[in-house]
Amino acid sequence: MTQTILHIDASARHTGSTTRSLSAKTVAKLSGDVIYRDLTDALPQINETWVNANFTPAGDRTPAQKKALTLSDDLIGEIMAADVLVIGVPVYNFGVPAALKAWIDLIARAGVTFAYTENGPKGLLTGKRAVIVLATGGTEVGSEIDFASGYLRHIMGFIGITDVEIIAADRTMADAEEALAKANAQIDALAA
């Protein structure tokens, strides 16, 4: 059976982007039907209208509230349709790009992608896998100043995706050749 891959690129750069190149190689390695989402196509920030619509029970939403959630519903639909998420993430100023944070805000919805329980939040999008492809200029992935990889692993788990792999091309400004070789070796070792 062919798997469906949701390929997300968060780099502001289209040309010369390490994460775009490595995430494309990852998608090719995993092989499957691909849904592609480029986050540089400016996702909106959530606002009061969106928040009010989100917390209004579905059956009570006005047409304007339903419209406010349309993009969020579409983004969540892409995740639900996927078996694997491949997310290309450059680390900007020690964290994730604002475009990726906007995507996270739009897809983290109580009652849709996670539920509150007596034991805390429970992710609802189980049975999926995520491969996070990170590139950094100077930050070592997993170090105390890496605020991206742990955050993304947590967000994936928060929505129910606990099978998360990190592919890191870190510290590219120190030794790009070594960083890319390490990341390419990780991609080559991925199980389809």
Side-chain angles (χ1 to χ4, degrees), residues 37 106 109 120:
R37 174 67 64 174
L106 289 166
R109 285 182 44 200

Side-chain angles (χ1 to χ4, degrees), residues 3-54:
Q3 66 182 348
T4 299
I5 301 167
L6 173 56
H7 179 189
I8 298 170
D9 274 323
S11 177
R13 297 173 61 197
H14 286 89
T15 305
S17 165
T18 299
T19 58
R20 285 180 185 272
S21 173
L22 292 173
S23 68
K25 182 178 179 180
T26 301
V27 168
K29 167 70 175 174
L30 295 175
S31 183
D33 296 329
V34 179
I35 301 166
Y36 182 71
R37 174 67 64 174
D38 186 339
L39 298 183
T40 60
D41 293 340
L43 294 177
Q45 303 291 313
I46 61 172
N47 58 24
E48 184 175 12
T49 300
W50 187 94
V51 171
N52 289 338
N54 185 46

Side-chain angles (χ1 to χ4, degrees), residues 124-185:
L124 300 176
L125 302 179
T126 59
K128 299 178 185 301
R129 173 183 179 196
V131 180
I132 311 293
V133 181
L134 288 169
T136 75
T139 302
E140 182 180 351
V141 170
S143 71
E144 65 182 23
I145 61 170
D146 166 20
F147 301 105
S149 65
Y151 171 69
L152 291 170
R153 189 180 295 280
H154 177 78
I155 289 296
M156 291 294 105
F158 182 70
I159 63 172
I161 303 170
T162 57
D163 182 358
V164 180
E165 297 169 76
I166 304 286
I167 295 186
D170 53 356
R171 304 190 67 236
T172 59
M173 298 303 281
D175 190 341
E177 190 174 316
E178 180 182 327
L180 291 174
K182 182 179 80 169
N184 280 302

Side-chain angles (χ1 to χ4, degrees), residues 65-127:
Q65 288 176 320
K66 290 176 186 174
K67 183 178 178 186
L69 295 176
T70 299
L71 176 59
S72 174
D73 290 338
D74 291 346
L75 296 172
I76 292 167
E78 290 173 353
I79 299 170
M80 289 179 169
D83 301 299
V84 181
L85 283 66
V86 174
I87 307 174
V89 184
V91 174
Y92 294 158
N93 303 311
F94 310 103
V96 301
L100 182 58
K101 179 61 168 79
W103 178 83
I104 290 166
D105 288 343
L106 289 166
I107 61 97
R109 285 182 44 200
V112 181
T113 59
F114 72 93
Y116 290 111
T117 72
E118 61 189 32
N119 298 319
K122 176 184 176 188
L124 300 176
L125 302 179
T126 59

